[in-house]
Amino acid sequence: MAGHERIPVFDVLVTDDDVAAVEAVLASGNPGMSAEAERFEREFAEHLGVEHVVALSSCTAALHVACLEAGIGPGDEVIVPALTFVATAAAVRYSGGTPVFCDLVDTETLQIDPDAVEAAIGERTKAVLAVHFAGYAAAADRLREICDERGIAFLEDAAHVPVASLGGRAPGGFGRSGCFSFFSNKVLACGEGGALSTDDPDVAAFARAVRGGEAPGRGELGPALNYRLDDARAALLLSRWRRLSDEIESRRLHVRRYFELLADVDGLSVPFANEEVSNSSGYLMTVLVDPERRREIRADLLSEHGIQTTIFPAIHELTAYRELHPGLSLPHTEHVARAHIVLPLFPHMTEGQQDRIVESLAAAIG
Amino acid sequence: MASGGITPAAAEAGLEALRSGWLTMGPRTEALEAALAERLGAEHVVAVSSGTAALHLSCLALGAGPGSEVVIPALAPRSCAGAAAAAGARAVPHDIAGIDPDPDLVLATIGEATGAVLARHPLGYPADLGALAEACAARGVALIEDCREAIGATGRGEALGRAGTVALLSFSSSRQLPSNEGGAVVTDDEEIAGKVRSLRSHAMTSGTWDRHRGHAETYDVIGVGFNYRIDEVRAAIAHAGLEGLDARVEELRERATVLEELGELAPGALIEGSSPLAVPLVAEEPSGVEALEAAVVEAGARAERVEVRGDGELPEARALAARILLAWL
């Protein structure tokens, strides 16, 4: 590294207020689960415009609960995108179901294609689990309509979008269940955490029961788990939640500035449009480069410029998923999976850091 | 009943982890694992999100998944069957008459499909597992030693957790070493440790911490794993709590000694060497439990009956359940 300050791809800034909030819970001597988690659930539900939020130990837990609640079991198929974190597809498998992968709309709109979803729905399809990728909303309104027409469940992986909008409504509020992530690299982070949103009181009651180690309808010796979020983490979430809208504004400014700066760089393209930014959470800043050169460009950014980047492998190409659908071809997903680079983006990044990232990227592309 | 007890030093360690800004599994989780391995004299400790998660992953790592059975004590808490079933196995309760499992009663439930036997140190009272461990070894069945309620107990002078193929720990807020939520798998078997490590974070071939340090460019996913990660704050709390653990266990024993006066202890329960969470009192006859309950409540403790799992005959367990009452510390 050429003497540069290192720039991480994600960065969590813990404030004195955050520390004080957790300290109060730890000092109370009763840091199990109760008051703070319930307070967070109420505030987050109000923000999303949904009836219920159930705080859970992770987004993976929320996805698992959503699939269980939708009655997914052996022989059932659930349609999912392949450009996502593996938990989206793994949750389907926990319940005994099979994930069926659908392609993206195109290589600029990195969201699942409703037309492809409609065409893929078959006899065994029990649900569609859409992902709002990178902080931008997928076509949840249209997907919900399609699912309603076919009498199947619509579920949302809203891990990237605790704050976003689709026609004035919050992603995560369109489906039977919406699943949120508070993992440490997310927009709203508490280390490990998640939540499930729903308008249906039965879905909420089911989620609360599973969280606490019960297994509704599955017998006294049936599967039961611990998906609790303790109050220390809930207090951290609440503290961070209260400044999230300011942080999202900063993220959006950084994304717009990235768009401006990157317009002058040859050899790359930038998914998502400027006018979409104000409705996004500004979670990921993605660029597409020549797939043949991506590895080299990322290595150069890291070793020569100290700039960390990340990528999302396509799920259907991972070892544990390859055999599920041999020969499956998802051209848009595969191109994006090979071509994209996720650049550093966090609320407190400076213009200087951003300039350096763009200059370094231009130099690495050459 | 205030079993919850994060010490001020442990809380401060948690806050220090928080201030560092690195929250997902990293150096503090590694330090907790190393400290526990040293304390228990084990080769590997893998910290996870809860004790239930530790059992779920242990079953999977031992191959006790779909099509196999996991034998559990009939008086075990709900999470034993729950985690085994989550792994795809069928939980089969065995009869039990006290703290120590009777190897004959356990062996009676072992069959072709048995993938693992789970033996508990219930409520912090060390069970004698020597004969059972030998019997399991002779049958080629893995023994899971459930120490989730017994961190800090010393049994016959040594830390528990060395009798089986794997041992389970819990850092739940109601336990001896609380970190709010957390747990661990303890084993000398490198392959099992590797499987648990992989499955706790989605069977990914590299972790966020590796990638953060530039040690890995990307990852593959080689199985169906879970998010059973602990985080740095909870790892730091559990680690720093080890310092005060022996004093805490001493205090729990003293409190147990007071409640012990209220009646007979369940067969096999010895306060010496224990790390008690509750005092298991037995009435001479089922009709005497009500009076016992009144005495426990009078003494300021929470009283709880014990349930028998499953609908099998289980005569010993049912006879004990009819007479036993837990007085929580």
Side-chain angles (χ1 to χ4, degrees), chain B residues 45-144:
Chain B
V45 172
V46 185
V48 294
S49 59
S50 71
T52 307
L55 177 53
H56 183 184
L57 295 185
S58 293
C59 289
L60 290 174
L62 291 167
S68 57
E69 296 178 347
V70 174
V71 174
I72 63 165
L75 299 175
R78 177 69 184 88
S79 66
C80 287
R90 194 168 81 87
V92 181
H94 72 74
D95 206 4
I96 187 160
I99 299 295
D100 303 322
D102 176 342
D104 291 338
L105 292 177
V106 178
L107 289 174
T109 60
I110 291 183
E112 284 288 298
T114 306
V117 168
L118 179 128
R120 304 171 60 226
H121 299 292
L123 306 163
Y125 296 90
D128 181 357
L129 302 182
L132 179 61
E134 274 177 37
C136 285
R139 299 286 287 263
V141 174
L143 180 66
I144 299 172

Side-chain angles (χ1 to χ4, degrees), chain B residues 142-199:
Chain B
L143 180 66
I144 299 172
E145 188 183 359
D146 186 347
C147 305
R148 286 180 292 169
E149 296 178 350
I151 292 184
T154 44
R156 278 143 210 84
E158 286 173 27
L160 303 176
R162 313 304 305 134
T165 312
V166 305
L168 314 173
L169 305 178
S170 167
F171 316 129
S172 153
S173 57
S174 59
R175 304 280 158 80
Q176 299 90 346
L177 184 64
S179 76
N180 301 335
E181 295 284 350
V185 175
V186 180
T187 185
D188 283 345
D189 187 313
E190 195 173 343
E191 199 183 325
I192 289 169
K195 281 184 184 164
V196 172
R197 222 174 266 288
S198 168
L199 291 173

Side-chain angles (χ1 to χ4, degrees), chain B residues 54 61 90 108 111 152 186 215 272 305 329:
Chain B
R90 194 168 81 87
V186 180
H215 291 185
E272 192 190 338
R305 300 283 193 115
L329 297 174

Side-chain angles (χ1 to χ4, degrees), chain A residues 198-222:
Chain A
T198 184
D199 281 331
D200 186 331
D202 294 337
V203 175
F206 181 92
R208 284 180 210 284
V210 173
R211 170 177 74 184
E214 291 171 41
R218 301 176 81 193
E220 204 205 343
L221 299 176

Side-chain angles (χ1 to χ4, degrees), chain A residues 135-137 161 163-171 174 252 278-281:
Chain A
Y136 301 82
V161 284
V163 174
S165 167
L166 178 65
R169 289 175 63 192
F174 288 82
R252 288 172 181 161
S278 58
N279 288 325
S280 82
S281 69

Side-chain angles (χ1 to χ4, degrees), chain A residues 6 14 31 58 60 85 94 183-184 192 219-220 222-226 228 230 232-233 295 298 308 318-320, chain B residues 15 18 24 50 78 82 85 180-181 202 211-212 217 220-221 223-229 231 234 308-310:
Chain A
R6 200 169 157 280
V14 175
S58 69
T60 301
F85 179 61
Y94 301 159
F183 180 57
S184 55
E192 298 287 351
E220 204 205 343
L225 301 153
N226 172 356
R228 284 185 280 264
D230 55 74
R233 280 179 285 165
R295 190 191 184 94
R298 289 187 65 212
Q308 192 201 9
L318 297 169
T319 300
Chain B
L15 297 175
L18 185 58
T24 192
S50 71
R78 177 69 184 88
N180 301 335
E181 295 284 350
H202 285 294
R211 292 192 296 281
H212 179 72
E217 188 218 16
D220 190 12
V221 171
V224 179
F226 302 85
N227 177 355
Y228 280 154
R229 295 183 295 262
D231 55 50
R234 286 180 284 158
V308 179
R309 300 292 158 197

